[in-house]
Amino acid sequence: MSIGNSPEGERPFDDASEEARPSVGRALQQARIAAGLTVDDVSTATRVRISIIHAIEADDFAPCGGDVYARGHIRTLAKAVHIDPAPLLAQYDAEHGGRPSPTPAAPLFEAERIRPERRGPNWTAAMVAAIVAVIGFVGFTLIKGGDDTGGNSNLAGDAATEASATPTPKSKKPADPKPEPSDSAIAAAPQDKVTVKVSAVDGRSWISAKDHNGRQLFDGLLKQGQSKTFQDSSKINLILGDAGAIDLFVNGKKIEDDWQPGAVERLTYTKGDPQAG
């Protein structure tokens, strides 16, 4: 039986110099042993590598790759061993210079504002108003002119006839608006490229994305309800700070994976996927 895989073989020894409150790593180790779980059990449940779990339980957070990842691992492991992660996170922040400030998210896709449809002048209404005005003028002339209405009536009638005979200009038909890109267009991704869409459905998550050359495509916080799409000619490398909050689509297909809340995932996708890299 390997060391670290048996709860009985990992009983912490008494240390008189240890403070009343155990360290973050020791607290996680004690909770795991009390729950009757091995390191392998926790690794299988959380998908956190065995080497990282051993390092955290020894209070070595360097393999986590930074405070953001360390906090995510602490939260994930605490939930796996059935303890509240909040006190451990507060203790970690106090021992490591406070909670890291979130990286400001780059501008995400901004919904295109819908412009009001531009319409041509309403010539029909103008012509109706003109005819009404002419009829009103004719009536006024008949009342006021008395016996002299004959010539004026003919004049007014000619004016009305001329106005009604004027062709009504046709309003210009507005051009059909170009269809906006939709999820179906994203789903129909070109086969010669890899297209990855990340959506924060169940909460916010820090996201990092790089292309096949290692060039940074995005590094920031994706708020709940927001999405981000990345595309490259051969490969997309992803890091998800809280994979449990994310829905992932690769080349138009949803990745079905049971990621735990707070779990940090490092993923690579290429043409012909979906499959975790």
Side-chain angles (χ1 to χ4, degrees):
M1 181 177 294
S2 61
I3 297 176
N5 287 338
S6 172
E8 293 77 8
E10 293 181 345
R11 296 288 180 181
F13 57 85
D14 293 333
D15 186 352
S17 64
E18 189 176 25
E19 296 180 357
R21 183 177 67 174
S23 65
V24 174
R26 174 61 68 86
L28 289 172
Q29 183 189 54
Q30 290 176 346
R32 173 178 59 77
I33 295 173
L37 299 173
T38 67
V39 173
D40 286 338
D41 294 334
V42 175
S43 177
T44 301
T46 63
R47 304 187 67 180
V48 177
R49 292 198 298 272
I50 293 176
S51 59
I52 293 180
I53 296 176
H54 279 301
I56 290 175
E57 289 188 352
D59 292 310
D60 178 10
F61 299 97
C64 296
D67 288 340
V68 173
Y69 303 117
R71 296 179 90 261
H73 287 321
I74 291 170
R75 183 184 294 106
T76 300
L77 296 180
K79 291 179 179 180
V81 298
H82 314 301
I83 61 174
D84 184 8
L88 297 181
L89 293 174
Q91 183 177 349
Y92 176 85
D93 292 340
E95 294 173 354
H96 294 80
R99 183 172 183 174
S101 300
T103 304
L108 301 178
F109 296 120
E110 182 179 357
E112 183 179 356
R113 294 193 179 102
I114 301 176
R115 298 180 178 178
E117 182 179 333
R118 192 174 182 179
R119 298 180 180 179
N122 193 340
W123 292 107
T124 302
M127 290 304 302
V128 170
I131 294 173
V132 170
V134 171
I135 293 175
F137 174 76
V138 171
F140 176 78
T141 304
L142 289 175
I143 295 173
K144 188 176 181 180
D147 294 337
D148 295 333
T149 56
N152 293 335
S153 298
N154 291 335
L155 179 61
D158 292 341
T161 302
E162 182 179 355
S164 61
T166 303
T168 302
K170 296 181 179 179
S171 59
K172 295 181 180 180
K173 183 179 180 181
D176 294 334
K178 295 182 178 180
E180 298 182 359
S182 62
D183 289 343
S184 60
I186 296 175
Q191 295 182 356
D192 60 341
K193 294 182 179 181
V194 54
T195 302
V196 177
K197 179 181 177 183
V198 183
S199 298
V201 177
D202 297 325
R204 63 181 186 174
S205 175
W206 176 83
I207 302 295
S208 174
K210 294 182 180 180
D211 63 11
H212 71 282
N213 289 322
R215 183 173 62 90
Q216 193 79 53
L217 301 177
F218 180 77
D219 182 8
L221 189 65
L222 203 62
K223 295 181 180 179
Q224 184 172 6
Q226 294 180 330
S227 298
K228 193 73 175 175
T229 299
F230 310 103
Q231 193 173 77
D232 187 67
S233 59
S234 61
K235 181 171 66 175
I236 295 291
N237 296 309
L238 286 177
I239 301 177
L240 307 180
D242 186 353
I246 294 299
D247 276 359
L248 194 60
F249 299 84
V250 177
N251 296 324
K253 297 180 180 179
K254 184 176 181 180
I255 300 299
E256 300 292 347
D257 209 329
D258 188 20
W259 288 320
Q260 298 296 318
V264 177
E265 293 292 336
R266 291 174 172 83
L267 306 168
T268 299
Y269 293 103
T270 59
K271 295 181 291 185
D273 280 340
Q275 64 182 9

Short mmCIF file of all heavy atoms in Angstrom, two decimals, residues 106-136:
data_model
loop_
_atom_site.label_atom_id
_atom_site.label_comp_id
_atom_site.label_asym_id
_atom_site.label_seq_id
_atom_site.Cartn_x
_atom_site.Cartn_y
_atom_site.Cartn_z
N ALA A 106 -11.37 41.66 -20.16
CA ALA A 106 -11.32 42.41 -21.40
C ALA A 106 -12.72 42.61 -21.92
O ALA A 106 -13.64 41.88 -21.57
CB ALA A 106 -10.48 41.63 -22.44
N PRO A 107 -12.90 43.63 -22.75
CA PRO A 107 -14.26 43.87 -23.28
C PRO A 107 -14.77 42.64 -23.99
O PRO A 107 -14.09 42.07 -24.82
CB PRO A 107 -14.05 45.04 -24.24
CG PRO A 107 -12.81 45.71 -23.77
CD PRO A 107 -11.93 44.62 -23.21
N LEU A 108 -15.94 42.17 -23.60
CA LEU A 108 -16.53 41.01 -24.24
C LEU A 108 -17.34 41.45 -25.43
O LEU A 108 -17.40 42.64 -25.78
CB LEU A 108 -17.40 40.26 -23.22
CG LEU A 108 -16.63 39.79 -21.98
CD1 LEU A 108 -17.60 39.11 -21.03
CD2 LEU A 108 -15.51 38.85 -22.34
N PHE A 109 -17.98 40.45 -26.05
CA PHE A 109 -18.78 40.79 -27.22
C PHE A 109 -19.90 41.72 -26.83
O PHE A 109 -20.68 41.42 -25.94
CB PHE A 109 -19.38 39.51 -27.84
CG PHE A 109 -18.34 38.56 -28.35
CD1 PHE A 109 -18.24 37.27 -27.86
CD2 PHE A 109 -17.45 38.97 -29.32
CE1 PHE A 109 -17.29 36.41 -28.32
CE2 PHE A 109 -16.49 38.11 -29.80
CZ PHE A 109 -16.41 36.85 -29.31
N GLU A 110 -19.97 42.87 -27.47
CA GLU A 110 -21.02 43.84 -27.16
C GLU A 110 -22.15 43.67 -28.17
O GLU A 110 -21.92 43.65 -29.38
CB GLU A 110 -20.46 45.27 -27.25
CG GLU A 110 -21.48 46.34 -26.89
CD GLU A 110 -20.89 47.74 -26.97
OE1 GLU A 110 -19.70 47.85 -27.25
OE2 GLU A 110 -21.65 48.69 -26.77
N ALA A 111 -23.34 43.52 -27.65
CA ALA A 111 -24.49 43.33 -28.54
C ALA A 111 -24.67 44.55 -29.43
O ALA A 111 -24.55 45.69 -28.99
CB ALA A 111 -25.76 43.11 -27.71
N GLU A 112 -24.86 44.28 -30.69
CA GLU A 112 -25.04 45.37 -31.64
C GLU A 112 -26.35 46.10 -31.36
O GLU A 112 -27.39 45.49 -31.20
CB GLU A 112 -25.07 44.81 -33.06
CG GLU A 112 -25.19 45.90 -34.13
CD GLU A 112 -25.21 45.32 -35.53
OE1 GLU A 112 -25.04 44.10 -35.64
OE2 GLU A 112 -25.39 46.07 -36.48
N ARG A 113 -26.24 47.42 -31.26
CA ARG A 113 -27.44 48.20 -31.01
C ARG A 113 -28.34 48.15 -32.24
O ARG A 113 -27.89 48.27 -33.37
CB ARG A 113 -27.07 49.66 -30.71
CG ARG A 113 -26.30 49.82 -29.40
CD ARG A 113 -26.27 51.29 -29.03
NE ARG A 113 -25.56 51.46 -27.77
CZ ARG A 113 -24.32 51.90 -27.68
NH1 ARG A 113 -23.66 52.20 -28.78
NH2 ARG A 113 -23.75 52.05 -26.50
N ILE A 114 -29.62 47.98 -31.99
CA ILE A 114 -30.58 47.91 -33.09
C ILE A 114 -30.95 49.32 -33.50
O ILE A 114 -31.47 50.10 -32.70
CB ILE A 114 -31.84 47.14 -32.65
CG1 ILE A 114 -31.44 45.73 -32.22
CG2 ILE A 114 -32.87 47.11 -33.76
CD1 ILE A 114 -32.59 44.93 -31.67
N ARG A 115 -30.59 49.63 -34.72
CA ARG A 115 -30.88 50.98 -35.19
C ARG A 115 -32.32 51.06 -35.69
O ARG A 115 -32.82 50.13 -36.30
CB ARG A 115 -29.93 51.34 -36.34
CG ARG A 115 -28.47 51.35 -35.88
CD ARG A 115 -27.56 51.70 -37.03
NE ARG A 115 -26.16 51.75 -36.61
CZ ARG A 115 -25.15 52.00 -37.43
NH1 ARG A 115 -25.40 52.24 -38.72
NH2 ARG A 115 -23.92 52.03 -36.97
N PRO A 116 -32.96 52.17 -35.42
CA PRO A 116 -34.34 52.30 -35.92
C PRO A 116 -34.37 52.29 -37.44
O PRO A 116 -33.48 52.80 -38.11
CB PRO A 116 -34.78 53.68 -35.36
CG PRO A 116 -33.51 54.41 -35.09
CD PRO A 116 -32.50 53.38 -34.71
N GLU A 117 -35.39 51.63 -37.94
CA GLU A 117 -35.53 51.51 -39.38
C GLU A 117 -35.80 52.87 -40.00
O GLU A 117 -36.66 53.64 -39.59
CB GLU A 117 -36.70 50.56 -39.68
CG GLU A 117 -36.90 50.33 -41.17
CD GLU A 117 -38.03 49.37 -41.40
OE1 GLU A 117 -38.28 48.55 -40.51
OE2 GLU A 117 -38.66 49.44 -42.47
N ARG A 118 -34.98 53.20 -41.01
CA ARG A 118 -35.10 54.49 -41.67
C ARG A 118 -36.20 54.43 -42.72
O ARG A 118 -36.15 53.63 -43.64
CB ARG A 118 -33.77 54.87 -42.31
CG ARG A 118 -33.72 56.31 -42.77
CD ARG A 118 -32.33 56.66 -43.24
NE ARG A 118 -32.25 58.05 -43.65
CZ ARG A 118 -31.15 58.63 -44.09
NH1 ARG A 118 -30.03 57.91 -44.16
NH2 ARG A 118 -31.15 59.89 -44.44
N ARG A 119 -37.17 55.26 -42.57
CA ARG A 119 -38.29 55.25 -43.49
C ARG A 119 -38.31 56.51 -44.35
O ARG A 119 -37.86 57.58 -43.91
CB ARG A 119 -39.62 55.16 -42.73
CG ARG A 119 -39.75 53.88 -41.89
CD ARG A 119 -41.07 53.86 -41.18
NE ARG A 119 -41.22 52.63 -40.38
CZ ARG A 119 -42.26 52.37 -39.65
NH1 ARG A 119 -43.27 53.25 -39.57
NH2 ARG A 119 -42.33 51.25 -38.95
N GLY A 120 -38.82 56.36 -45.52
CA GLY A 120 -38.94 57.51 -46.42
C GLY A 120 -40.12 58.38 -46.02
O GLY A 120 -40.92 58.04 -45.16
N PRO A 121 -40.22 59.55 -46.61
CA PRO A 121 -41.33 60.46 -46.28
C PRO A 121 -42.67 59.84 -46.64
O PRO A 121 -42.79 59.12 -47.63
CB PRO A 121 -41.03 61.71 -47.11
CG PRO A 121 -40.12 61.24 -48.20
CD PRO A 121 -39.33 60.11 -47.65
N ASN A 122 -43.67 60.13 -45.85
CA ASN A 122 -45.01 59.59 -46.07
C ASN A 122 -45.75 60.50 -47.05
O ASN A 122 -46.45 61.45 -46.68
CB ASN A 122 -45.76 59.51 -44.73
CG ASN A 122 -47.01 58.67 -44.83
OD1 ASN A 122 -47.54 58.47 -45.93
ND2 ASN A 122 -47.49 58.20 -43.70
N TRP A 123 -45.56 60.20 -48.35
CA TRP A 123 -46.18 61.04 -49.40
C TRP A 123 -47.69 60.88 -49.42
O TRP A 123 -48.42 61.84 -49.77
CB TRP A 123 -45.60 60.66 -50.76
CG TRP A 123 -44.15 61.02 -50.90
CD1 TRP A 123 -43.09 60.18 -50.90
CD2 TRP A 123 -43.62 62.34 -51.02
NE1 TRP A 123 -41.91 60.87 -51.01
CE2 TRP A 123 -42.20 62.22 -51.11
CE3 TRP A 123 -44.18 63.62 -51.08
CZ2 TRP A 123 -41.37 63.30 -51.25
CZ3 TRP A 123 -43.34 64.72 -51.22
CH2 TRP A 123 -41.95 64.56 -51.30
N THR A 124 -48.18 59.72 -49.06
CA THR A 124 -49.64 59.51 -49.09
C THR A 124 -50.34 60.46 -48.13
O THR A 124 -51.33 61.11 -48.47
CB THR A 124 -49.97 58.05 -48.74
OG1 THR A 124 -49.31 57.18 -49.65
CG2 THR A 124 -51.47 57.82 -48.78
N ALA A 125 -49.81 60.55 -46.90
CA ALA A 125 -50.42 61.45 -45.93
C ALA A 125 -50.34 62.89 -46.39
O ALA A 125 -51.27 63.70 -46.19
CB ALA A 125 -49.73 61.29 -44.57
N ALA A 126 -49.22 63.26 -47.04
CA ALA A 126 -49.07 64.64 -47.53
C ALA A 126 -50.10 64.96 -48.61
O ALA A 126 -50.68 66.06 -48.64
CB ALA A 126 -47.65 64.84 -48.07
N MET A 127 -50.34 63.99 -49.51
CA MET A 127 -51.31 64.23 -50.59
C MET A 127 -52.73 64.34 -50.03
O MET A 127 -53.54 65.17 -50.47
CB MET A 127 -51.23 63.09 -51.61
CG MET A 127 -49.93 63.10 -52.42
SD MET A 127 -49.65 64.68 -53.25
CE MET A 127 -51.13 64.79 -54.26
N VAL A 128 -53.05 63.48 -49.04
CA VAL A 128 -54.39 63.58 -48.43
C VAL A 128 -54.58 64.93 -47.79
O VAL A 128 -55.64 65.57 -47.93
CB VAL A 128 -54.58 62.45 -47.40
CG1 VAL A 128 -55.84 62.67 -46.59
CG2 VAL A 128 -54.62 61.09 -48.10
N ALA A 129 -53.56 65.44 -47.11
CA ALA A 129 -53.66 66.76 -46.48
C ALA A 129 -53.84 67.85 -47.52
O ALA A 129 -54.62 68.80 -47.33
CB ALA A 129 -52.42 67.02 -45.63
N ALA A 130 -53.14 67.71 -48.66
CA ALA A 130 -53.27 68.72 -49.71
C ALA A 130 -54.68 68.72 -50.31
O ALA A 130 -55.26 69.79 -50.57
CB ALA A 130 -52.23 68.44 -50.81
N ILE A 131 -55.25 67.52 -50.52
CA ILE A 131 -56.60 67.44 -51.09
C ILE A 131 -57.62 68.03 -50.13
O ILE A 131 -58.54 68.76 -50.52
CB ILE A 131 -56.94 65.98 -51.44
CG1 ILE A 131 -56.04 65.48 -52.58
CG2 ILE A 131 -58.41 65.84 -51.82
CD1 ILE A 131 -56.18 64.02 -52.88
N VAL A 132 -57.47 67.72 -48.84
CA VAL A 132 -58.39 68.29 -47.85
C VAL A 132 -58.30 69.82 -47.84
O VAL A 132 -59.32 70.52 -47.75
CB VAL A 132 -58.07 67.71 -46.46
CG1 VAL A 132 -58.84 68.45 -45.37
CG2 VAL A 132 -58.41 66.22 -46.42
N ALA A 133 -57.07 70.34 -47.97
CA ALA A 133 -56.90 71.79 -47.98
C ALA A 133 -57.58 72.41 -49.20
O ALA A 133 -58.22 73.47 -49.12
CB ALA A 133 -55.41 72.14 -47.97
N VAL A 134 -57.45 71.74 -50.37
CA VAL A 134 -58.07 72.27 -51.59
C VAL A 134 -59.60 72.26 -51.47
O VAL A 134 -60.29 73.22 -51.84
CB VAL A 134 -57.62 71.45 -52.81
CG1 VAL A 134 -58.43 71.83 -54.05
CG2 VAL A 134 -56.13 71.68 -53.07
N ILE A 135 -60.14 71.15 -50.94
CA ILE A 135 -61.61 71.07 -50.78
C ILE A 135 -62.09 72.15 -49.82
O ILE A 135 -63.13 72.79 -50.02
CB ILE A 135 -61.99 69.67 -50.26
CG1 ILE A 135 -61.69 68.61 -51.34
CG2 ILE A 135 -63.46 69.63 -49.87
CD1 ILE A 135 -61.93 67.19 -50.90
N GLY A 136 -61.31 72.37 -48.75
CA GLY A 136 -61.70 73.43 -47.83
C GLY A 136 -61.67 74.80 -48.48
O GLY A 136 -62.54 75.65 -48.24
#
